[in-house]
Amino acid sequence: RDRLTGDTFPIATKSIVFAGGPFTDQLRKLEDPACESAVNGAAGTHIVLPGYFSTPTMGLLDINTSDGRFLFFLPWQNHTIVGTTDRKCEPRSSPAPPEDEIEWILNEVKKYLSPDMRVRRADVLSAWRGWRPLAVDPHAPPGAPPSRDHIISTHPTSGITFVTGGKWTTYREMAEDVIDAVVRDKNLVHAGKRTTKDIPLVGGEGYKHNLFVKLVQKYNISSEVAEHLSRTYGTRAWAVCELTKATKKRWPRFGISLVEGYPFLENEVEYAVKHEYACTVCDILSLRTRLAFLNSEAARHAAPRVAEIMAPLLNWSDAERERQLEEALCYLAEFGGPYPNTAAAVAEPTSPPRASVSDISALFHRLDWDGNGYIDQSELLNAASALGFAVGSQGELMALFDRLPGASAGRIYEDEFITFFQDNRHQDALLQRMDSEFKLSVDRLEKNARGVMFG
């Protein structure tokens, strides 16, 4: 079944291989609902921090964390990636990470840094959870242990083969082993000699480390962009650069940025659609550019432009473009970011209406996520969004920020915030709406210690 169109069609084949990672058992139950489990799934959370927390050429492995789990602290694409946790649970396709695991990782990270260097919850640029498939061969003799390597097994009745376990770094070995098994078991005598080890990755043929220099010289793109393109596409970077458009700047002269602060270009979207079969906005932001995994807020900011570029290339109607964008924004909202997603922690009570917040100072410090002593526009807007405030549009919230004392400098300090809130609470429609919809006592705030509520 085509998941994009819903169309179904038959496929004729001599052999079937299930390669579903942590979802392998769900595939196997299509052939045998009573089959024994072959996968013991374990979920792991990763967080991404700014690159200045790590050196670009050295990583760290902690084998003695507070609860005995391993933790990696590594440079990754000019950022710092930290992970992973290990929790046994059923696999899901959602990347949503548990907030308690993000907090645990941050607490562990503090041990690696200089005592005078803070790592804050607001420093988390992105966070996600994935599942590793710890494998057990259901057709092996009784008592066989689970494996962190991959296993390959064929059902004795249906003849369907599955492969599971392993890891990203062994994917080519896994592919080679499972094809060898199918060729052997199905007696495919016309299969040629395996050549996996001799086949370069796409863009690998003719690649040299100084490719980025040639790209800068020919296409007048920035060196940062050129390094990204050569590292990501190899020799295919020439074809990507052919699609670059003029920036109308003195430098770089070509290569329009998709989002500020990152080397991804708008023409990479066009290339992915034309040459790599990209079909969705989610695909571009999570798989082709990895922007969602690097900075979830930046990915959300780029999503409308990505949809705008893809629409004419794929003949989307206005309605389809909006649907694609909405689907992408919903998916991106599942990633972690600088603001805790604690909507569940502040669920609607069944008791009578909540009391008003009597301590506006406590409210101010909840809004000041990074602890810098002031609230900026991003903190106000993102705190409201992360906590599900349904009291006004972003335009209204921006207008409220602009009215606060100190807005011209972009920083609202505590005394100014308290005075403004007290003086305007009873005559301002937006503040009244906030007061009506989101009343929360200081006791409730302290109990959850995660949410931000106006009152």
Side-chain angles (χ1 to χ4, degrees):
R1 183 173 66 91
D2 187 329
R3 292 182 62 185
L4 294 178
T5 66
D7 296 338
T8 59
F9 48 88
I11 297 177
T13 180
K14 292 183 178 180
S15 183
I16 296 175
V17 175
F18 288 155
F23 302 98
T24 297
D25 282 340
Q26 297 179 24
L27 292 171
R28 294 176 58 240
K29 288 180 180 179
L30 296 175
E31 63 163 342
D32 182 3
C35 68
E36 296 183 31
S37 177
V39 178
N40 295 324
T45 294
H46 299 74
I47 68 171
V48 171
L49 302 171
Y52 51 68
F53 281 109
S54 61
T55 63
T57 58
M58 183 175 66
L60 180 148
L61 167 62
D62 184 357
I63 62 173
N64 190 29
T65 62
S66 60
D67 65 0
R69 292 181 283 188
F70 285 16
L71 204 63
F72 291 89
F73 187 86
L74 305 170
W76 180 53
Q77 295 200 22
N78 298 320
H79 292 65
T80 303
I81 185 170
V82 191
T84 175
T85 57
D86 189 56
R87 177 180 291 181
K88 301 293 188 295
C89 55
E90 289 296 317
R92 299 173 53 204
S93 58
S94 168
E99 180 61 29
D100 63 319
E101 294 197 349
I102 296 176
E103 295 289 350
W104 179 83
I105 293 175
L106 287 172
N107 287 332
E108 295 296 319
V109 165
K110 294 174 184 177
K111 303 174 185 177
Y112 315 145
L113 303 176
S114 172
D116 61 351
M117 185 132 177
R118 287 195 305 159
V119 58
R120 310 162 301 179
R121 180 61 182 80
D123 289 321
V124 176
L125 301 177
S126 187
W128 70 92
R129 181 167 63 162
W131 275 261
R132 63 180 65 85
L134 303 180
V136 178
D137 186 352
H139 307 132
S147 173
R148 287 190 177 269
D149 295 325
H150 61 277
I151 64 169
I152 297 167
S153 186
T154 301
H155 194 284
T157 304
S158 70
I160 294 178
T161 300
F162 75 85
V163 56
T164 193
K167 56 194 72 175
W168 286 341
T169 52
T170 62
Y171 76 97
R172 295 187 81 173
E173 180 185 6
M174 293 172 66
E176 183 177 283
D177 288 350
V178 75
I179 294 301
D180 285 349
V182 170
V183 169
R184 180 186 64 249
D185 295 345
K186 300 298 182 180
N187 193 29
L188 302 179
V189 296
H190 298 294
K193 180 181 178 182
R194 61 188 186 187
T195 58
T196 304
K197 292 182 180 179
D198 302 319
I199 300 176
L201 296 175
V202 174
E205 189 170 352
Y207 175 81
K208 293 183 179 180
H209 291 291
N210 63 359
L211 171 61
F212 79 96
V213 177
K214 299 176 182 178
L215 296 177
V216 173
Q217 293 173 337
K218 179 171 182 178
Y219 294 102
N220 292 291
I221 58 178
S222 72
S223 59
E224 180 188 14
V225 166
E227 289 188 61
H228 153 65
L229 295 178
S230 63
R231 185 174 59 246
T232 303
Y233 298 93
T235 54
R236 292 293 180 96
W238 296 107
V240 178
C241 286
E242 286 293 328
L243 299 174
T244 55
K245 295 178 174 60
T247 63
K248 300 180 181 179
K249 300 177 182 178
R250 292 188 64 184
W251 187 261
R253 287 157 53 191
F254 287 85
I256 299 175
S257 176
L258 183 61
V259 63
E260 185 178 357
Y262 288 86
F264 307 118
L265 301 180
E266 288 189 354
N267 58 282
E268 289 185 73
V269 180
E270 181 181 357
Y271 180 84
V273 171
K274 290 182 175 179
H275 302 285
E276 296 182 339
Y277 306 104
C279 296
T280 67
V281 176
C282 289
D283 189 350
I284 294 292
L285 293 173
S286 61
L287 300 179
R288 311 305 171 127
T289 65
R290 292 297 191 190
L291 185 57
F293 292 89
L294 290 169
N295 189 320
S296 58
E297 291 291 319
R300 281 192 281 272
H301 179 77
R305 180 56 181 153
V306 172
E308 186 178 4
I309 295 170
M310 297 182 74
L313 297 172
L314 294 170
N315 297 317
W316 288 346
S317 63
D318 289 345
E320 176 62 14
R321 186 190 67 210
E322 289 302 314
R323 189 194 70 79
Q324 286 275 347
L325 178 57
E326 180 64 25
E327 181 182 83
L329 292 175
C330 288
Y331 175 68
L332 294 171
E334 297 179 18
F335 284 80
Y339 304 95
N341 184 3
T342 54
V346 289
E348 290 294 324
T350 55
S351 54
R354 295 171 280 189
S356 296
V357 174
S358 59
D359 188 350
I360 303 174
S361 174
L363 176 59
F364 173 88
H365 288 291
R366 295 304 187 278
L367 282 168
D368 180 20
W369 283 108
D370 56 16
N372 282 339
Y374 60 83
I375 298 170
D376 59 34
Q377 188 179 83
S378 177
E379 285 177 316
L380 179 61
L381 295 179
N382 282 297
S385 175
L387 295 169
F389 280 28
V391 295
S393 66
Q394 283 207 342
E396 289 176 306
L397 290 169
M398 289 175 67
L400 172 63
F401 182 89
D402 289 340
R403 290 167 47 215
L404 288 163
S408 59
R411 300 181 180 90
I412 311 301
Y413 290 94
E414 183 175 357
D415 290 346
E416 299 166 335
F417 178 82
I418 292 174
T419 300
F420 177 86
F421 204 94
Q422 290 175 331
D423 291 347
N424 294 276
R425 179 176 183 176
H426 299 295
Q427 62 263 23
D428 185 278
L430 182 58
L431 294 181
Q432 287 178 5
R433 198 151 69 241
M434 291 178 179
D435 187 43
S436 173
E437 296 293 333
F438 295 102
K439 292 180 178 179
L440 195 63
S441 69
V442 173
D443 289 340
R444 177 72 180 230
L445 278 170
E446 293 295 341
K447 179 179 179 181
N448 288 294
R450 295 178 182 179
V452 178
M453 291 293 180
F454 280 96

